[in-house]
Amino acid sequence: MKLLDQNTKIGKTIEELEEGESLSLTETIEDNQLLLYLGLTNDANPLFIQHSYTKQTEYGKPLVPSIMLMGTISSTVSKHLPGPGSNIVNFSFNLIEPVYHYETLTFHFEIIKIDKMKDVVTISVTAHNFKEERVLDSVLMVRPPKISVLEETNEEEGDDVNE
């Protein structure tokens, strides 16, 4: 069976979520992640890869591309809160401090608003480095997973709508 054909348990629907619900996770930015990003995007910005160049800048060492940090946030929404089937419809991102290669960051996600009329939840995200310095703030508007009435009816009858 192909990975893309597998049925995945969906995340929480808007009815299952609560304001104040939160999640924290810790990530270390490793070489394999940086190399994958740089290879996939063909991004050769010397701020991201050249130690000799960055020593001459205000940063002193290579930075993690901000889009990689955004990817960590997006991935967490897709995997955990609200989870599989979620769609980010608005993404605000503010990088407060530079993030360097091999840093360990702790991301904190919190649902700050649920708008059932618009079928959107607002999630606040902050990240802190190992020195407990806040390095980023982000606010996301996310449409949680939703199953149509037709699919729910077919599942109850035992039909697999994905075949």
Side-chain angles (χ1 to χ4, degrees):
M1 177 182 273
K2 295 179 185 175
L3 177 66
L4 298 177
D5 290 338
Q6 292 180 2
N7 289 332
T8 302
K9 182 180 182 299
I10 66 161
K12 292 183 176 182
T13 64
I14 201 162
E15 290 79 18
E16 297 171 307
L17 296 167
E18 295 180 18
E19 287 183 13
E21 191 169 342
S22 65
L23 167 75
S24 292
L25 79 112
T26 301
E27 287 271 332
T28 301
I29 310 299
E30 299 287 350
D31 282 339
N32 62 341
Q33 297 165 314
L34 292 158
L35 291 172
L36 278 171
Y37 165 79
L38 296 170
L40 286 171
T41 62
N42 200 25
D43 189 341
N45 186 336
L47 276 176
F48 303 149
I49 55 177
Q50 293 181 4
H51 290 268
S52 59
Y53 171 76
T54 56
K55 283 180 185 178
Q56 302 170 43
T57 70
E58 64 184 290
Y59 304 110
K61 52 189 173 180
L63 300 177
V64 173
S66 57
I67 197 73
M68 282 186 63
L69 301 170
M70 295 169 98
T72 299
I73 293 169
S74 176
S75 174
T76 301
V77 167
S78 293
K79 291 191 275 188
H80 303 292
L81 186 66
S86 300
N87 184 33
I88 296 172
V89 295
N90 190 301
F91 201 128
S92 170
F93 182 86
N94 183 28
L95 193 57
I96 300 165
E97 295 290 336
V99 176
Y100 300 101
H101 292 200
Y102 315 114
E103 278 201 82
T104 298
L105 303 178
T106 299
F107 292 82
H108 182 73
F109 295 74
E110 182 177 354
I111 296 175
I112 57 173
K113 182 178 179 185
I114 297 176
D115 187 336
K116 291 184 179 181
M117 292 289 288
K118 293 182 180 176
D119 196 32
V120 169
V121 296
T122 303
I123 301 174
S124 170
V125 182
T126 59
H128 294 79
N129 61 18
F130 70 99
K131 296 177 190 175
E132 296 296 320
E133 300 168 323
R134 194 173 80 220
V135 296
L136 70 83
D137 289 322
S138 186
V139 177
L140 313 170
M141 294 180 75
V142 178
R143 185 157 287 126
K146 188 174 188 176
I147 297 178
S148 72
V149 175
L150 176 62
E151 289 175 355
E152 288 175 353
T153 303
N154 287 341
E155 285 179 5
E156 289 171 5
E157 294 172 0
D159 294 339
D160 187 355
V161 295
N162 294 322
E163 288 188 33

